[in-house]
Amino acid sequence: MTFDLDSVRGRLSGRSIEWHDAIDSTMHRAAELARQGAAGGTIVGAEQQTAGIGRLGRTWLSTAGEGLYVSIVLRLPIVPDQLPVVMLALGLATREAIAGTTGLACDLRWPNDVLVNERKCAGVLAQLDEPASSKTSAVPKQKARSIVAGIGINVLQSTFPAGLDTPATSLAMEGAAATREDLLVALAEAVDSHCGLLAEAGPEPILRAFCAGSSYASGRRVRVSVDGRDIVGVTSGLDASGFLRVREDNGAETTILSGGVRAV
Ligand code: BTN
């Protein structure tokens, strides 16, 4: 079904929204707009992405008309080191938008997976935009120019290819009837409120909310693959930067900066 952009524009008034029938990735276009000075909250969406970007160099399957594929320009007065917490805030916002629109309660798997019944229904990305001139610029390092948030929600798919890295599901496959328009309005508002909270109050409330809303944050036995090495242990919360702590079976506590977390 054709995306009703006019209805979304009416409900998110004052916000710039660019919509594409097909694009390589909304991340590239949003970064370009951000470099040209686009306001915080600017949205780039697409019916279809031909080279959707996932985390860790993966691709994001972006079949036409079946998912919500959007990037949002964020202008936040945070230091670049807080990017991991931005990603957690985006996961919380996505979960809230799905719950508010469909009633589905999603789990969060550090750092960026939104799950229903252990299957991934949405994923988020946060990319810091560093203009080429930043090394010589007099703009203070602590004021990030912009962050591009990328959010993909599987909405209407009825099937996924075999052999995906993470088993996937869609809201429709979970029995939830949601429109992409309602999801986008709820998502834009939830991103505003979670990122606003981060900007005003710092990382703590986001870290607390993530720990409360994620069955993976502590007490969960997981395998994490980090640079080709598998770490197996039990999760023991997040550190102040939003990184996951895992207590390995030999008692060592490892901080996971990046990697794919799987329940075992
Ligand atoms: C992940 O879970 O690996 C992150 C997936 C993020 C996908 C979204 S879809 C909209 C935006 N454009 C992209 O190319 N990627 C993000």
Side-chain angles (χ1 to χ4, degrees), residues 25-27 49 51-55 60 69-71 112-113 120 123-125 150-152:
S25 164
T26 57
M27 298 303 283
Q49 296 184 117
I53 299 168
R55 209 172 128 259
W60 185 258
Y69 317 118
V70 290
S71 294
N112 72 331
D113 296 338
K120 184 159 170 168
V124 304
L125 277 182
I151 300 157

Side-chain angles (χ1 to χ4, degrees), residues 39-55:
T42 296
I43 296 173
V44 178
E47 289 296 298
Q48 177 183 12
Q49 296 184 117
T50 53
I53 299 168
R55 209 172 128 259

Side-chain angles (χ1 to χ4, degrees), residues 105-176:
C106 299
D107 195 6
L108 295 170
R109 181 172 58 194
W110 186 92
N112 72 331
D113 296 338
V114 183
L115 307 177
V116 188
N117 298 324
E118 294 296 326
R119 291 179 169 266
K120 184 159 170 168
C121 66
V124 304
L125 277 182
Q127 293 183 343
L128 189 65
D129 186 39
E130 291 276 18
S133 61
S134 67
K135 288 193 186 76
T136 53
S137 161
V139 176
K141 184 86 178 133
Q142 67 271 19
K143 297 279 182 202
R145 270 75 158 194
S146 63
I147 292 165
V148 175
I151 300 157
I153 305 180
N154 300 329
V155 185
L156 297 166
Q157 289 92 338
S158 53
T159 177
F160 288 92
L164 286 184
D165 187 68
T166 297
T169 190
S170 70
L171 304 184
M173 287 162 76
E174 298 302 323

Side-chain angles (χ1 to χ4, degrees), residues 20 23 41 47 61 97 176 203 217:
H20 297 261
I23 195 169
E47 289 296 298
L61 196 65

Side-chain angles (χ1 to χ4, degrees), residues 12-49:
L12 292 176
S13 62
R15 193 186 287 256
S16 164
I17 307 176
E18 187 179 286
W19 205 260
H20 297 261
D21 284 340
I23 195 169
D24 51 358
S25 164
T26 57
M27 298 303 283
H28 298 316
R29 177 63 185 148
E32 186 176 45
L33 290 176
R35 280 193 293 272
Q36 291 167 3
T42 296
I43 296 173
V44 178
E47 289 296 298
Q48 177 183 12
Q49 296 184 117

